[in-house]
């Protein structure tokens, strides 16, 4: 038996700064769907995913959380892996860039580049975006903003090592021109070439080490430096399969020789530059083959907006799954993302997709067919002994669906592949309306025809379930188990001649509601309330992090002026509201050496009974003033404008003390 053709596919490793939102999770689901498809097509598949765990941003987040960076990434990496598992992502390896074997190889690669003259020490001066872990020139960081994420960049200056990107730029350009499928979609390739390789001044050398923070892989021959996070992260694709830079290609591990070069790196369009410019050049410097393809998928936006915590519109896949099920989430993600342009997710569209496709089309077809098989033949599958011309149209629809899935999946058009399957399921539902089994059941002479119709429906369902295995695997497996067939892989579908694999005499199981219809109005009402609460919480958190602006209009005073203000401790012994003055309270205070009357505008925030007995600070040498006809001899110290807070003292504070 000939060896299977290999297929090595990877996701970009998720940055371990926070839980990935729905758009990030799409990448893992899409890569898993492609890996499952290739397995169905007979390939020896290796799928790699994981977490990117070093960098300045993580060091800062860990410090803010009061824990070590390693403890911080352990928590987030665990959360990411748990999310991937929940979404039924069937990866073969989950790499963490804090894994010992990965760190050791990165150190070797850095040293190899330095020793062969690809890396030199210099000084970095320019703009840096901490969230993106990216450096930019003055031209790229126009207006002081990161060209990738739009957030502010900071001026950076530090000693660093640089990789001579310009040394390999022409060779990379030649490779891109000779391999038109290397960067996909086509629009992404043009963007990379025009923005980085064919710009005035050519490709800039890349900073590959940092000295301003410590959370990274140390450069072993210069330990003040840590490896730039992108040189660290990108190499995961080869360290995960056993690459050793000290060995020739022929001497590498069997796993590396088997699976490298990668067939496709699946990444978000925002990190295309690192994968299509820097990564191929690193590989050229290591003298190993380049990946066959880099596919830059679009983003999922919330409606027309980018997902953002500050907007309260972030959707998480696991939370979505609590309402729509795992396969409900997988189906929406895979069916709604276009090939080249950004996708959109709103709760309205998720509900509509779920009710229309999964409830009405797929779920209803399976349940109706199984119910009729039970009602008319006690679950026993009949031989298709009474064919008619109409049956051929259903068979042709099944064959067309198979061809469409293969054609589109081979081009990474996942949404189009799914559409082909659901067109076939729609045709099967139409077949029920055309053949009206309930009418055939009333005529004993039509019993063979009834058995044939139900056989054809079960076979169409089998085809649909087989074709859906890469996309909604749990649902597909349940359907195949329920209809009682062992013909469950892609070799059992294909051309029209493959139609008819279910064995007559086999017994189907009972039906169940796989996808329950959702009350759109009720769920939207619940979700709107949740989103409003999230937005309010996000705004409150953002406000809490804001630094107060420096007050305006405060003239500087000298020490002699300040010493002229006499602040004394006092106790409130009486307090009452001022009639016809909503803002004022009349207080009697004890300074220890005398008692006084003070009027204060704090009635909005304090009740008289809340103040009696409290010790406070008073401006004791303020000239008397008359407020609403009441004389006031002093002023109580308080802070705030929209909310006023009186400065209260400890109960054991002596009265009449001067405050300095």
């Amino acid at each position: 038996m000939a060896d299977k053709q290999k297929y090595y596919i990877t996701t970009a490793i998720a940055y371990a700064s926070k839980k990935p939102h729905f758009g990030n999770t799409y990448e893992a689901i899409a890569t898993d769907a492609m890996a499952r498809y290739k397995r169905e097509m007979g390939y020896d598949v290796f799928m790699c995913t994981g977490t990117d765990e070093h960098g300045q941003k993580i060091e800062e987040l860990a410090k803010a959380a009061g824990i070590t960076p390693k403890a911080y990434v352990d928590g987030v990496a665990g959360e990411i892996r748990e999310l991937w598992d929940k979404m039924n992502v069937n990866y073969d390896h989950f790499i963490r860039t804090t894994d010992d074997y990965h760190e050791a190889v990165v150190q070797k690669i850095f040293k190899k580049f330095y020793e062969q003259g690809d890396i030199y020490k210099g000084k970095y001066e320019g703009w840096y975006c901490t969230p993106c872990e990216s450096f930019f020139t003055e031209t790229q960081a126009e207006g002081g903003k990161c060209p990738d994420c739009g957030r502010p960049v900071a001026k950076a200056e530090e000693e660093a090592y640089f990789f001579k990107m310009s040394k390999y730029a022409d060779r990379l350009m030649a490779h891109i021109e000779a391999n038109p499928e290397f960067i996909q979609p086509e629009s992404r390739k043009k963007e990379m070439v025009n923005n980085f390789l064919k710009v005035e001044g050519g490709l800039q050398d890349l900073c590959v080490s940092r000295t301003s923070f410590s959370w990274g892989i140390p450069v072993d021959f210069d330990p003040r430096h840590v490896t730039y996070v992108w040189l660290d992260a990108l190499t995961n694709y080869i360290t995960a399969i056993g690459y050793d830079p000290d060995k020739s290609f022929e001497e590498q591990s069997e796993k590396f020789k088997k699976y490298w070069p990668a067939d496709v790196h699946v990444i978000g369009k925002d990190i295309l530059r690192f994968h299509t410019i820097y990564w191929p050049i690193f590989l050229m410097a290591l003298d190993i083959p380049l990946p066959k393809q880099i596919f830059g998928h679009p983003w999922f936006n919330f409606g027309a907006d980018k997902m953002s915590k500050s907007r309260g519109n972030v959707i998480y896949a696991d939370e979505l799954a609590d309402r729509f099920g795992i396969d409900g989430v997988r189906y929406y993600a895979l069916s709604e993302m276009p090939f080249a342009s950004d996708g959109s997710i709103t709760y309205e569209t998720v509900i509509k997709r779920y009710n229309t496709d999964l409830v009405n089309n797929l779920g209803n077809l399976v349940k109706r067919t199984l119910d009729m098989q039970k009602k008319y033949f006690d679950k026993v599958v009949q031989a298709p002994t009474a064919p008619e011309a109409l049956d051929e149209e259903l068979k042709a629809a099944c064959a067309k669906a198979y061809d469409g899935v293969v054609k589109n999946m081979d081009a990474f058009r996942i949404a189009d592949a799914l559409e082909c399957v659901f067109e076939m399921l729609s045709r099967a539902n139409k077949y029920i309306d055309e053949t009206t089994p309930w009418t055939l059941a009333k005529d004993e002479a039509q019993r063979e025809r009834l058995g044939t119709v139900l056989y054809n429906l079960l076979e169409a369902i089998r085809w649909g379930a087989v074709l859906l295995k890469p996309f909604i695997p749990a649902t597909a497996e349940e359907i195949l188990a329920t209809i009682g067939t062992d013909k469950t892989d892609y070799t059992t579908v294909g051309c029209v001649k493959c139609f008819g694999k279910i064995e007559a005499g086999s017994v189907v199981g009972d039906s169940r509601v796989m996808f329950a219809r959702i009350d759109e109005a009720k769920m939207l009402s619940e979700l709107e309330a949740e989103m409003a609460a999230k937005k309010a919480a996000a705004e409150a958190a953002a406000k809490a992090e804001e630094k107060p602006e420096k007050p305006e209009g405060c003239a500087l005073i000298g020490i002699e002026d300040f010493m002229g203000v006499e602040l004394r401790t006092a106790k409130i012994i009486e307090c009452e509201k001022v009639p016809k003055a909503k803002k004022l309270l009349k207080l009697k205070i004890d300074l220890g050496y005398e008692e006084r009357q003070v009027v204060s505008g704090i009635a909005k925030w304090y009740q008289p009974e809340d103040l009696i007995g409290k010790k406070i600070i008073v401006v004791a040498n303020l000239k008397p003033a008359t407020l609403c006809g009441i004389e006031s001899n002093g002023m109580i110290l308080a802070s705030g404008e929209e909310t006023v807070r009186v400065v209260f003292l400890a109960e054991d504070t002596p009265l009449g003390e001067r405050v300095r």
Side-chain angles (χ1 to χ4, degrees):
M1 183 178 176
D3 290 340
K4 290 182 178 180
Q5 186 176 346
K6 71 91 182 175
Y7 189 79
Y8 181 28
I9 185 170
T10 71
T11 69
I13 50 177
Y15 197 46
S17 59
K18 59 185 177 181
K19 177 181 177 179
H21 60 57
F22 181 79
N24 304 134
T25 310
Y26 160 77
E27 183 175 299
I29 295 172
T31 305
D32 174 66
M34 183 57 69
R36 288 175 182 272
Y37 163 73
K38 287 294 184 180
R39 292 187 189 104
E40 288 292 335
M41 296 303 287
Y43 286 76
D44 178 354
V45 175
F46 192 87
M47 176 185 165
C48 185
T49 187
T51 44
D52 173 11
E53 302 183 12
H54 292 121
Q56 183 177 353
K57 182 177 180 180
I58 286 174
E59 184 175 88
E60 292 175 355
L61 288 168
K63 184 178 180 181
I67 57 177
T68 66
K70 184 62 166 64
Y72 184 89
V73 296
D74 282 348
V76 179
E79 192 173 26
I80 291 170
R81 187 165 189 165
E82 184 179 342
L83 179 58
W84 276 203
D85 291 343
K86 183 171 183 177
M87 290 299 109
N88 205 358
V89 175
N90 187 23
Y91 49 83
D92 296 285
H93 186 70
F94 191 99
I95 187 171
R96 296 180 59 184
T97 57
T98 52
D99 290 338
D100 292 345
Y101 68 90
H102 173 80
E103 292 190 344
V105 173
V106 170
Q107 287 182 317
K108 285 184 179 183
I109 289 173
F110 198 105
K111 190 173 184 180
K112 181 182 179 75
F113 286 164
Y114 181 73
E115 290 176 345
Q116 66 190 28
D118 288 316
I119 284 179
Y120 62 92
K121 185 183 281 189
K123 184 178 180 182
Y124 178 77
E125 293 182 68
W127 297 98
Y128 185 71
C129 175
T130 299
C132 293
E133 302 279 5
S134 303
F135 295 97
F136 298 101
T137 63
E138 193 79 37
T139 304
Q140 291 170 327
E142 186 178 351
K145 298 292 181 71
C146 171
D148 288 341
C149 72
R151 285 171 283 203
V153 290
K155 201 76 174 178
E157 182 178 323
E158 61 183 288
E159 181 182 271
Y161 284 94
F162 291 82
F163 189 100
K164 297 177 182 177
M165 288 284 154
S166 52
K167 176 179 174 181
Y168 296 91
D170 290 343
R171 183 175 162 189
L172 175 59
M173 190 67 238
H175 180 84
I176 292 171
E177 290 175 343
N179 297 272
E181 298 298 313
F182 179 60
I183 303 174
Q184 286 294 312
E186 181 71 20
S187 58
R188 307 275 184 254
K189 176 169 68 177
K190 292 178 180 177
E191 180 185 339
M192 292 299 104
V193 170
N194 294 334
N195 291 351
F196 297 99
L197 292 173
K198 289 187 176 180
V199 294
E200 186 177 349
L203 185 60
Q204 300 295 306
D205 289 349
L206 179 69
C207 176
V208 290
S209 78
R210 301 293 306 278
T211 52
S212 58
F213 63 92
S214 60
W215 180 240
I217 300 175
V219 176
D220 55 2
F221 60 85
D222 196 347
R224 271 200 333 113
H225 292 252
V226 294
T227 307
Y228 174 48
V229 67
W230 279 104
L231 175 57
D232 164 13
L234 290 164
T235 53
N236 92 89
Y237 303 127
I238 51 178
T239 62
I241 52 174
Y243 175 72
D244 185 344
D246 292 341
K247 297 178 180 179
S248 68
F249 192 87
E250 291 71 23
E251 297 171 324
Q252 295 294 332
S253 68
E254 290 304 312
K255 181 181 284 187
F256 181 81
K257 288 190 292 185
K258 179 179 183 180
Y259 289 111
W260 193 260
D263 290 86
V264 61
H265 294 315
V266 182
I267 61 166
K269 64 178 183 178
D270 52 324
I271 54 173
L272 205 64
R273 168 168 54 107
F274 305 100
H275 285 78
T276 60
I277 307 293
Y278 305 146
W279 178 228
I281 285 178
F282 290 153
L283 292 171
M284 288 174 178
L286 290 171
D287 196 29
I288 58 177
L290 271 55
K292 296 177 183 178
Q293 187 175 91
I294 293 114
F295 181 78
H297 65 77
W299 287 341
F300 254 117
N301 295 324
F302 184 82
D305 299 324
K306 186 178 178 181
M307 287 191 198
S308 165
K309 278 193 173 181
S310 62
R311 292 174 177 162
N313 65 358
V314 175
I315 295 178
Y316 295 103
D318 54 345
E319 294 176 4
L320 209 59
D322 291 339
R323 295 181 180 275
F324 300 95
I326 304 301
D327 278 350
V329 175
R330 286 180 62 103
Y331 176 72
Y332 186 86
L334 298 172
S335 63
E336 279 292 322
M337 179 65 88
F339 176 70
S341 58
D342 286 347
S344 172
I345 179 170
T346 65
Y347 289 115
E348 290 90 344
T349 55
V350 175
I351 294 169
K352 282 183 170 60
R353 269 281 186 187
Y354 182 90
N355 281 341
T356 302
D357 294 354
L358 296 180
V359 176
N360 288 354
N361 201 349
L362 175 60
N364 194 39
L365 172 66
V366 174
K367 190 173 190 315
R368 290 172 77 191
T369 302
L370 289 173
D371 286 346
M372 288 189 290
Q373 192 68 49
K374 179 179 181 179
K375 181 177 181 180
Y376 301 136
F377 294 103
D378 197 24
K379 303 182 186 178
V380 179
V381 178
Q382 306 299 297
T385 54
E388 292 184 4
L390 191 59
D391 304 346
E392 299 305 313
E393 293 183 25
L394 181 61
K395 295 177 184 179
C398 291
K400 182 182 177 183
Y402 173 84
D403 291 342
V405 168
V406 172
K407 177 183 176 181
N408 285 298
M409 289 299 284
D410 287 347
F412 227 96
R413 293 181 175 273
I414 299 176
D416 294 334
L418 265 174
E419 187 176 351
C420 292
V421 180
F422 276 79
E423 284 179 356
M424 182 269 284
L425 296 175
S426 294
R427 183 66 190 83
N429 276 303
K430 184 181 178 183
Y431 179 79
I432 294 178
D433 296 335
E434 292 170 332
T435 56
T436 60
W438 50 90
T439 303
L440 296 173
K442 295 175 182 178
D443 186 352
E444 188 61 32
Q446 295 290 336
R447 190 162 180 78
E448 282 191 42
R449 177 58 186 160
L450 175 61
T452 300
V453 166
L454 293 180
Y455 180 91
N456 291 338
L457 286 170
L458 288 170
E459 183 66 1
I461 289 169
R462 183 186 73 83
W463 277 57
V466 168
L467 294 177
L468 287 172
K469 283 173 68 179
F471 312 102
I472 48 174
T475 299
E477 294 290 356
E478 180 185 344
I479 292 171
L480 290 167
T482 304
I483 62 176
T485 179
D486 59 357
K487 304 299 188 292
T488 61
D489 58 65
Y490 269 45
T491 62
T492 67
V493 294
C495 65
V496 172
K497 291 181 180 179
C498 294
F499 195 94
K501 299 289 186 182
I502 294 178
E503 293 184 10
S506 60
V507 179
V508 301
D510 288 317
S511 69
R512 79 171 188 89
V513 178
M514 291 185 294
F515 301 100
R517 174 167 294 281
I518 290 171
D519 184 328
E520 182 174 353
K522 181 181 177 183
M523 184 175 283
L524 286 178
S525 177
E526 294 171 356
L527 290 166
E528 283 173 10
E530 286 182 15
M531 286 190 68
K534 284 183 181 179
K535 187 173 183 180
E539 289 173 350
K543 189 173 182 180
E545 292 178 3
E546 288 178 359
K547 293 182 179 179
E549 294 182 5
K550 183 178 179 180
E552 298 179 359
C554 294
L556 296 176
I557 62 172
I559 186 65
E560 66 281 357
D561 296 316
F562 176 74
M563 293 303 293
V565 179
E566 187 177 339
L567 302 175
R568 296 278 180 178
T569 60
K571 181 179 180 180
I572 302 172
I573 55 177
E574 294 180 10
C575 183
E576 62 183 45
K577 293 183 178 180
V578 175
K580 298 181 181 180
K582 294 181 179 179
K583 296 181 180 179
L584 300 180
L585 292 178
K586 183 173 71 172
L587 305 100
K588 187 175 182 179
I589 63 171
D590 182 4
L591 288 155
Y593 55 84
E594 69 179 42
E595 295 179 357
R596 290 190 191 179
Q597 178 174 280
V598 174
V599 178
S600 180
I602 57 173
K604 180 179 178 181
W605 298 278
Y606 294 96
Q607 294 296 318
E609 58 269 23
D610 296 332
L611 295 173
I612 295 173
K614 299 288 187 184
K615 291 186 176 179
I616 57 173
I617 299 173
V618 179
V619 181
N621 63 338
L622 197 65
K623 291 180 180 180
T626 301
L627 302 173
C628 289
I630 303 173
E631 186 176 277
S632 178
N633 293 284
M635 179 180 289
I636 295 174
L637 253 60
S639 67
E641 293 179 6
E642 293 184 3
T643 300
V644 171
R645 301 173 184 85
V646 173
V647 178
F648 294 119
L649 302 174
E651 290 183 6
D652 60 354
T653 304
L655 300 180
E657 276 192 337
R658 186 158 188 181
V659 179
R660 301 178 185 274

